[in-house]
Amino acid sequence: TLMGLGFFRRAMALVERYRRPGQTVSHTIQTNGTLLTDEWCEFLAEHRYLVGISIDGPRPFHDAYRVDKKARPTFDRVMTGLGSLQAHGVEVNVLCTVNAANETNPLEVYRFFRDELGLHHIQFIPIVERDGPETGASVTDRSVDPKAWGDFLMAVFDEWVVRDVGSVFVAHFDAALASFAGVQPALCIFRETCGDAVALEHNGDLYS
């Protein structure tokens, strides 16, 4: 979103110019949501974007690490952006990092997305960061504990499998089911080959 709406409008014009007759192009974007406005959301709705928005759970968990460059919390700005997306009917899923701040609260995080935000497509991503460039370095304090990561997924699964199958879609569970059924998982990290997106390089920056 830092590229501005003008950049994306030009991109959409190029899509219309070069797509083949009968070809359908799907658009997705991943964002922290802090810059989303009604104008942005009108554009995203018009072009039927699927928007992944990064939220790490209720306010205390989200603001533990998701701060801006001035170290200010971002929760309220993200909620405003999400509200605009939902008001304009944009399809939304949530990307939640699991880290030292929220690793022991799986059900609070999961229920917040499901019950308070009305989000039904959820991807959990474990934060594991090296505390230095060398091989074998220890991990940072905000990295998720390995056992806590497993416990997090199991707690969410135990609730999901009882009441939410078919209404809430959790990426790791969908990937496991796809593998069981012999279907390529949507998460490329579970595929034999990861990556089938088109990438665009602009002035040294890479977009996909």
Side-chain angles (χ1 to χ4, degrees):
T1 52
L2 287 172
M3 296 299 295
L5 265 174
F7 172 86
F8 283 86
R9 288 192 173 111
R10 290 194 299 274
M12 294 302 97
L14 290 172
V15 168
E16 289 306 305
R17 181 187 302 176
Y18 292 112
R19 71 183 179 91
R20 296 186 300 273
Q23 182 182 27
T24 299
V25 180
S26 299
H27 304 293
T28 65
I29 185 172
Q30 181 69 41
T31 175
N32 63 21
T34 58
L35 298 182
L36 293 177
T37 61
D38 281 336
E39 185 180 13
W40 260 109
C41 295
E42 288 172 4
F43 167 85
L44 296 169
E46 177 187 355
H47 295 284
R48 299 183 179 180
Y49 269 75
L50 168 63
V51 177
I53 190 165
S54 300
I55 308 171
D56 289 345
R59 183 189 300 273
F61 305 140
H62 180 89
D63 284 342
Y65 301 122
R66 289 197 183 271
V67 295
D68 64 19
K69 63 183 179 182
K70 295 182 179 179
R72 297 174 300 189
T74 61
F75 182 81
D76 288 333
R77 279 175 279 170
V78 176
M79 290 300 101
T80 298
L82 174 63
S84 292
L85 289 169
Q86 293 174 323
H88 287 86
V90 178
E91 186 177 356
V92 179
N93 60 32
V94 63
L95 184 155
C96 172
T97 66
V98 180
N99 51 61
N102 62 9
E103 65 183 15
T104 60
N105 297 273
L107 293 183
E108 186 175 352
V109 171
Y110 177 67
R111 291 167 182 169
F112 174 71
F113 295 144
R114 182 191 65 198
D115 301 335
E116 296 188 40
L117 301 186
L119 297 170
H120 298 286
H121 291 81
I122 304 168
Q123 183 175 351
F124 293 115
I125 296 182
I127 293 299
V128 182
E129 301 173 315
R130 286 183 179 176
D131 195 13
E134 65 275 9
T135 301
S138 60
V139 297
T140 62
D141 290 340
R142 69 179 185 177
S143 295
V144 65
D145 176 81
K147 184 177 185 305
W149 167 235
D151 291 342
F152 188 103
L153 287 180
M154 287 191 294
V156 173
F157 179 85
D158 287 344
E159 172 141 341
W160 171 85
V161 77
V162 169
R163 55 161 292 169
D164 295 326
V165 174
S167 61
V168 178
F169 302 89
V170 180
H172 276 80
F173 306 159
D174 289 346
L177 179 60
S179 295
F180 178 79
V183 178
Q184 284 277 18
L187 289 179
C188 79
I189 59 170
F190 294 110
R191 297 183 185 181
E192 183 176 352
T193 300
C194 183
D196 56 7
V198 174
L200 168 67
E201 187 173 353
H202 177 72
N203 292 337
D205 295 324
L206 188 65
Y207 306 89
S208 62

